[in-house]
Amino acid sequence: MDAKYDPRSIERKWQSVWEKAKLFRVQQEPERKKYYLLEMFPYPSGKIHMGHVRNYTIGDVVARYKRMRGFNVLHPMGWDAFGMPAENAAIANHSHPAQWTYANIDAMRAQLKRLGFSYDWDREIATCRPEYYRWEQWLFLKMYEKGMAYRKESHVNWCDACQTVLANEQVEAGLCWRCGQPVRQKRLWQWFFRITDYAEDLLVYCDKLPGWPEKVITMQKNWIGKSVGAEIRFPVENREEVIPVFTTRQDTVFGATFMCLAPEHPLVAKLAQGTAHAKEVAAFVERIALQDRSARSVENYEKEGVFIGAYCRNPLNGRRMPIYTANFALMEYGTGAVMAVPAHDQRDFDFAKKYGLEIIPVVKPYGDDPGVDPLTEAYTGPGRMVNSGAFDGLDSNQALDAIASHLEKNGLGRRTVSFRLRDWGISRQRYWGAPIPIIHCDTCGIVPVPEEDLPIILPEDADMLDGGKSPLPVLDYFARTSCPRCGRADARRETDTMDTFVESSWYFERYCSPHYDRGMFDIAATAYWMPVDQYIGGVEHAILHLLYSRYFTRVLHDQGLVKFKEPFTRLLTQGMVCKETVSCPDHGFLLPEEVETRNGDRLCRHCHQPVTLGRVEKMSKSKKNVVDPNVLLDRFGADTTRLFCLFAAPPERDLEWSEQGVEGGYRFLSRVWRFAVDIIETIKGVAPFDGDPDSLAPELSELCKKTHQTIKKVTADIENRYHFNTAISAMMELFNLMTSYGSNAANADETRVMRLAMESLTLLLAPIVPHFAEELWEALGNDSSILRSAWPSYREEALVTEQLLVVVQVNGKLRSKFHVGVEEEDDTIKALALADERVKKFIEGKPIKKVIVVQKKLVNIVV
């Protein structure tokens, strides 16, 4: 070993060794237990950022650890290469999306390899390759055959700048998430997948995902949004039309005094036509179309609407109800129509007050004065039915069922269930995406492309049009084709492309057999590897990507391609990487390299004015509070970078950037290196101690036991909780004890115990700082990679520790005693004291003001 730790040369050496040996290549081995570890794949933006580094480091530790535990580990990587982000970035950089994407893939692959991640690069996929997207075109055809893919005209969020449709989640405060320009409503023909067919199943299985964070489960449930209620049909006065309304409060139907339709509802223009209100209605609809129509934003708008010049009848009491179009009514909820009950819905109440509409209470709180005092706000709780005809006097909860039965008996409505979830619109009016395999023929209508003609290849040599418009509609050699059904030569291809979420909804299955050319994947390979055992990614993907992946897996299940419904057994959503912002009065936000320090003052390099330190927040290019991973790799190396990402915070928590933390990690590795240099020749070739620790001298016994205790703790921290920070802390404690003993082993017991400690520490470090550990492992006299070695085991008898007596007081009076190990942490001692049965009777029902643990000998509880 060299006397000085040189991460650059060591990391280059071992990355070369791993690549030549194809160390990370895996195959199906039915006799071995598999473990599929997957991080969400990136879109090729050009450079990896610290969020990528943290995400992939977490995954790599688990993959390496599981391999050392004997699992056959699949750990692949690829590129979410289609979509608007790549296309817009290419346009901004005056490049072609294909050229931009492939160049970025090459650059990011090199960066990932430099970090030493254990990916099986033979399985690399890029979703923009025809050999990938041909199979989602094939699945589209299968879904179309079964009616699971369909085309309809609908209102969509439209960004003129990006020239495409946006999902509600991509509209932020009325602006496009990508370009920041206003979004408006537009009516377009769109392709949809019937995800709503699986709404109930997706919801039920939310409770069958024990390995998922509760917050993600809750977000999925809320997005699916199941509501149990009734559909009530309101006939339009003097017309044939009927307005169906979904409500969960059919008990309040007698209090419905007006109707509200979403501005996008097809009846708005139809009923307003020819009335004195037609122009006002059209102007209102046009204005609302420019607003963000997501439920989140609509809730914050001032409630407004206009009368459309028509009335409907309340089917239960015949009341004449004016019909309004209102900004708070949404097509995506229920039927797009709201029976407004202002006495029992605050939103309706505010609207009624604003426009002078009738308010009729039909549910009175129990114990309330039966008088008729005017309401000052809506009453939304349960109570006794009033002003409700034959249902007066009933409990409102009982009335829910009674009125539903009455509706069904008299043909006025029915019990039903509604979901917030809407069918998935997959059409994108962009170039850089997978072509939809459909042909439009004036004679035959919509004609699916024959399977033998797949893939429909996106022409990668097409020039982008001004403003980012797709060239596909005007590209004759792509758009013009003959009809496969009747032979007409003037048929045209579908020129919309698929939403990039389609590609990311099945890529994890493709990794199982990425070169398979007879189907989406080799069914046998997928049966062996899937489902993914551990999936890792950001919580920002908690709804759409995960929901669409769950949906697609069900589609594949119904096609007979897979036997499971859920693609991810366990899910880890890692926290963000955060850093303080730094700004200058003249130059705005500054990058770290744009700040200099003089005499302890931080100054702007451009104008030398003092800078202002802002909040610690998520690293972002716009606020320039970013750290380039390449700078870290050049200065400290991959292992130090990995160590910092793991030690600074538990994976699920946000990680706050710290230059001192990175330097501290480098110093630790350097200390271990120097110690190894001093001890290595003494312990090389020596067998590690494997006897009874109590047979050793006291100091040696302590080191031997500490080694076994550390193995147990690190194993538990990685296996059960992914708390790499506490695992690393335990290794540091072991190393400190090793150094306190010294590097001059004088006899056989000393060398064998030191060999045990050094070898164990190296093995425990292997998943975290793999290059560093490989070099130490080789120096210890081993010929094969440390990754081929077994994870260290511990001796139970070596875990027995000295016991301490803990006295428990409540308000200064002795109430109990118990024993703990000397290694027990204060939090554990505190929990044991509070759970002690003799203590409980003195604290039950009383607020605990404080709990004080004194030197692991005394716990004082103050109530």
Side-chain angles (χ1 to χ4, degrees):
M1 292 176 66
D2 292 336
K4 186 178 180 183
Y5 172 45
D6 179 9
R8 184 172 294 188
S9 63
I10 291 170
E11 289 166 7
R12 277 200 302 261
K13 167 187 169 180
W14 287 104
Q15 287 165 18
S16 176
V17 169
W18 296 336
E19 190 156 353
K20 287 178 182 175
K22 296 287 186 182
L23 189 63
F24 311 131
R25 180 193 286 173
V26 292
Q27 302 294 333
Q28 291 163 242
E29 297 181 45
E31 71 281 1
R32 290 180 65 192
K33 190 172 182 180
K34 67 91 181 180
Y35 193 86
Y36 188 174
L37 187 288
L38 184 64
E39 306 98 4
M40 295 179 186
F41 64 169
Y43 85 83
S45 59
K47 287 184 178 180
I48 60 170
H49 53 66
M50 287 305 299
H52 289 131
V53 174
R54 187 186 191 200
N55 184 2
Y56 303 150
T57 298
I58 291 167
D60 196 55
V61 172
V62 179
R64 288 174 177 271
Y65 165 78
K66 287 294 184 179
R67 180 161 176 175
M68 293 176 75
R69 293 302 300 262
F71 287 86
N72 190 24
V73 177
L74 174 58
H75 188 206
M77 176 50 69
W79 313 98
D80 191 8
F82 266 149
M84 198 162 63
E87 186 172 318
N88 284 351
I91 294 168
N93 288 273
H94 308 290
S95 180
H96 190 280
Q99 179 185 349
W100 169 262
T101 298
Y102 293 130
N104 287 349
I105 286 174
D106 290 340
M108 292 176 70
R109 185 192 303 111
Q111 285 181 295
L112 293 178
K113 286 187 175 182
R114 194 177 171 193
L115 279 154
F117 297 135
S118 58
Y119 297 129
D120 181 355
W121 285 105
D122 288 349
R123 293 176 181 265
E124 180 183 11
I125 59 174
T127 59
C128 59
R129 299 284 190 187
E131 59 268 26
Y132 182 85
Y133 64 75
R134 86 173 269 190
W135 295 111
E136 68 191 49
Q137 291 176 340
W138 175 86
L139 186 64
F140 179 98
L141 295 177
K142 296 299 179 186
M143 294 172 72
Y144 182 74
E145 286 175 11
K146 293 188 173 185
M148 299 168 70
Y150 67 95
R151 190 171 183 251
K152 72 172 183 179
E153 195 175 18
S154 68
H155 279 92
V156 295
N157 300 312
W158 178 262
C159 175
D160 286 308
C162 292
Q163 288 289 299
T164 197
V165 170
L166 301 174
N168 283 338
E169 299 70 39
Q170 296 169 325
V171 180
E172 299 173 350
L175 304 177
C176 173
W177 70 298
R178 180 54 53 185
C179 70
Q181 295 301 305
V183 172
R184 64 184 176 91
Q185 293 290 298
K186 185 176 181 178
R187 196 163 179 83
L188 284 179
W189 283 96
Q190 298 278 289
W191 284 97
F192 290 85
F193 286 157
R194 292 190 193 277
I195 189 173
T196 51
D197 286 353
Y198 294 87
E200 183 68 31
D201 198 54
L202 288 164
L203 184 64
V204 167
Y205 271 75
C206 281
D207 293 324
K208 299 179 182 181
L209 297 169
W212 284 41
E214 189 59 40
K215 64 179 179 181
V216 176
I217 294 292
T218 300
M219 292 166 78
Q220 292 257 314
K221 286 181 175 180
N222 290 343
W223 190 255
I224 295 167
K226 182 178 181 179
S227 299
V228 178
E231 181 182 277
I232 306 175
R233 294 188 281 275
F234 291 75
V236 179
E237 188 176 73
N238 300 321
R239 298 182 67 121
E240 294 181 355
E241 288 86 0
V242 172
I243 302 173
V245 170
F246 172 78
T247 179
T248 60
R249 293 294 308 273
Q250 60 267 26
D251 57 316
T252 65
V253 64
F254 284 88
T257 59
F258 59 97
M259 177 71 65
C260 286
L261 301 180
E264 304 88 355
H265 199 292
L267 280 179
V268 170
K270 188 174 182 181
L271 295 180
Q273 188 176 9
T275 72
H277 303 272
K279 285 187 178 180
E280 184 186 9
V281 170
F284 177 80
V285 169
E286 187 174 344
R287 178 165 62 83
I288 298 302
L290 299 176
Q291 296 180 352
D292 180 355
R293 296 291 290 152
S294 65
R296 180 181 62 250
S297 296
V298 167
E299 276 298 313
N300 297 320
Y301 293 154
E302 180 184 351
K303 308 303 178 279
E304 58 176 327
V306 295
F307 177 54
I308 69 171
Y311 294 84
C312 63
R313 292 284 179 176
N314 187 317
L316 269 74
N317 59 15
R319 180 180 289 114
R320 191 177 192 230
M321 298 167 54
I323 304 173
Y324 282 72
T325 179
N327 66 340
F328 63 81
L330 297 169
M331 278 304 297
E332 66 182 43
Y333 183 76
T335 63
V338 176
M339 68 166 204
V341 184
H344 304 293
D345 182 284
Q346 190 61 41
R347 181 188 57 188
D348 299 346
F349 182 89
D350 294 340
F351 193 90
K353 283 290 187 181
K354 182 174 182 177
Y355 294 101
L357 298 166
E358 194 173 7
I359 300 174
I360 301 176
V362 292
V363 178
K364 278 282 188 181
Y366 285 111
D368 200 31
D369 187 340
V372 289
D373 293 337
L375 292 172
T376 57
E377 63 180 2
Y379 174 67
T380 59
R384 178 174 49 82
M385 300 291 290
V386 296
N387 300 321
S388 298
F391 302 97
D392 281 356
L394 271 182
D395 175 83
S396 59
N397 288 322
Q398 294 176 330
L400 287 169
D401 189 59
I403 291 177
S405 296
H406 178 81
L407 291 168
E408 292 181 331
K409 181 180 178 181
N410 293 278
L412 304 174
R414 62 190 177 94
R415 290 179 174 85
T416 189
V417 172
S418 180
F419 290 92
R420 178 174 183 260
L421 182 67
R422 288 292 178 260
D423 281 343
W424 176 9
I426 66 157
S427 290
R428 296 296 179 266
Q429 293 68 42
R430 298 293 294 220
Y431 158 69
W432 192 238
I436 295 173
I438 288 291
I439 292 169
H440 299 278
C441 172
D442 287 344
T443 301
C444 304
I446 294 175
V447 182
V449 170
E451 283 184 33
E452 58 269 22
D453 291 347
L454 298 180
I456 302 303
I457 296 177
L458 182 75
E460 293 189 359
D461 57 350
D463 293 326
M464 300 297 295
L465 302 182
D466 289 343
K469 292 182 181 179
S470 172
L472 298 180
V474 298
L475 209 62
D476 269 2
Y477 71 86
F478 175 82
R480 288 182 63 88
T481 188
S482 58
C483 175
R485 188 171 293 165
C486 72
R488 280 188 65 149
D490 60 350
R492 296 188 65 80
R493 293 195 187 282
E494 175 63 69
T495 55
D496 283 358
T497 53
M498 292 194 217
D499 180 5
T500 189
F501 277 117
V502 176
E503 282 85 60
S504 61
S505 294
W506 70 283
Y507 77 107
F508 35 87
E509 273 115 358
R510 185 65 181 174
Y511 276 141
C512 299
S513 51
H515 309 296
Y516 191 69
D517 62 0
R518 298 190 300 279
M520 294 184 75
F521 42 77
D522 182 339
I523 292 176
T526 304
Y528 174 71
W529 289 113
M530 287 292 293
V532 174
D533 294 282
Q534 180 66 66
Y535 199 35
I536 303 174
V539 73
E540 65 271 18
H541 301 295
I543 297 177
L544 292 187
H545 164 58
L546 292 174
L547 189 64
Y548 292 155
S549 297
R550 296 178 64 214
Y551 161 63
F552 241 55
T553 302
R554 282 159 171 76
V555 173
L556 296 173
H557 178 271
D558 288 354
Q559 287 285 338
L561 298 177
V562 300
K563 294 182 179 180
F564 50 88
K565 285 187 174 183
E566 292 296 339
F568 313 119
T569 302
R570 293 182 67 184
L571 174 70
L572 172 65
T573 53
Q574 89 281 356
M576 298 180 293
V577 181
C578 304
K579 187 179 184 300
E580 66 185 6
T581 58
V582 181
S583 60
C584 165
D586 292 341
H587 296 94
F589 289 116
L590 300 175
L591 291 165
E593 56 267 28
E594 294 177 301
V595 180
E596 61 184 3
T597 303
R598 291 185 187 175
N599 301 321
D601 296 324
R602 300 174 74 176
L603 307 174
C604 173
R605 284 189 181 275
H606 305 295
C607 63
H608 309 298
Q609 292 189 74
V611 300
T612 301
L613 301 183
R615 293 184 307 158
V616 173
E617 50 189 298
K618 179 185 176 182
M619 286 188 177
S620 69
K621 293 178 184 177
S622 62
K623 295 188 177 178
K624 296 189 175 182
N625 61 334
V626 294
V627 175
D628 184 351
N630 284 336
V631 173
L632 289 181
L633 295 175
D634 290 340
R635 185 176 172 192
F636 297 107
D639 284 334
T640 295
T641 303
R642 293 166 61 115
L643 184 66
F644 168 73
C645 287
L646 298 166
F647 186 52
E652 69 278 6
R653 300 279 297 277
D654 288 348
L655 182 156
E656 184 175 338
W657 172 258
S658 165
E659 183 84 15
Q660 294 78 14
V662 180
E663 291 171 349
Y666 184 78
R667 284 196 302 272
F668 170 67
L669 293 181
S670 296
R671 286 181 61 217
V672 175
W673 183 271
R674 288 193 300 271
F675 184 81
V677 169
D678 291 342
I679 198 73
I680 211 80
E681 290 304 320
T682 305
I683 62 175
K684 195 173 184 178
V686 174
F689 182 80
D690 62 353
D692 181 2
D694 290 329
S695 68
L696 298 167
E699 288 185 350
L700 275 181
S701 177
E702 181 186 8
L703 178 57
C704 183
K705 288 181 177 181
K706 183 68 172 178
T707 301
H708 287 283
Q709 291 161 10
T710 303
I711 294 170
K712 181 181 180 181
K713 177 164 179 55
V714 172
T715 303
D717 283 347
I718 297 178
E719 182 74 42
N720 302 329
R721 303 187 301 162
Y722 296 162
H723 279 198
F724 310 114
N725 56 327
T726 55
I728 294 168
S729 181
M731 289 184 247
M732 289 177 171
E733 287 183 19
L734 172 61
F735 177 67
N736 288 337
L737 187 60
M738 291 165 63
T739 57
S740 69
Y741 191 84
S743 58
N744 298 315
N747 58 49
D749 281 349
E750 291 177 351
T751 54
R752 292 186 68 197
V753 171
M754 190 56 73
R755 171 74 190 211
L756 170 69
M758 193 70 214
E759 186 173 288
S760 299
L761 179 63
T762 304
L763 287 164
L764 295 175
L765 284 169
I768 294 166
V769 286
H771 315 84
F772 183 89
E774 288 277 22
E775 191 71 12
L776 292 188
W777 192 245
E778 184 181 65
L780 284 167
N782 297 288
D783 296 328
S784 63
S785 167
I786 195 170
L787 193 59
R788 299 187 191 278
S789 303
W791 187 253
S793 58
Y794 54 85
R795 296 171 63 108
E796 287 290 345
E797 62 269 23
L799 301 177
V800 178
T801 60
E802 180 186 344
Q803 295 284 299
L804 295 175
L805 176 65
V806 178
V807 173
V808 185
Q809 294 179 343
V810 178
N811 290 343
K813 294 184 178 180
L814 176 65
R815 297 304 183 191
S816 186
K817 301 176 183 178
F818 57 82
H819 287 86
V820 297
V822 293
E823 300 294 329
E824 211 66 80
E825 296 177 354
D826 283 358
D827 286 345
T828 304
I829 295 173
K830 187 186 299 184
L832 290 170
L834 294 171
D836 190 294
E837 290 299 328
R838 287 168 293 185
V839 173
K840 276 185 177 180
K841 60 185 179 182
F842 295 101
I843 63 174
E844 277 182 341
K846 300 175 183 177
I848 296 174
K849 296 179 180 178
K850 64 174 73 173
V851 181
I852 305 166
V853 180
V854 182
Q855 297 181 345
K856 300 185 180 180
K857 297 178 181 178
L858 170 68
V859 178
N860 191 15
I861 303 170
V862 181
V863 296

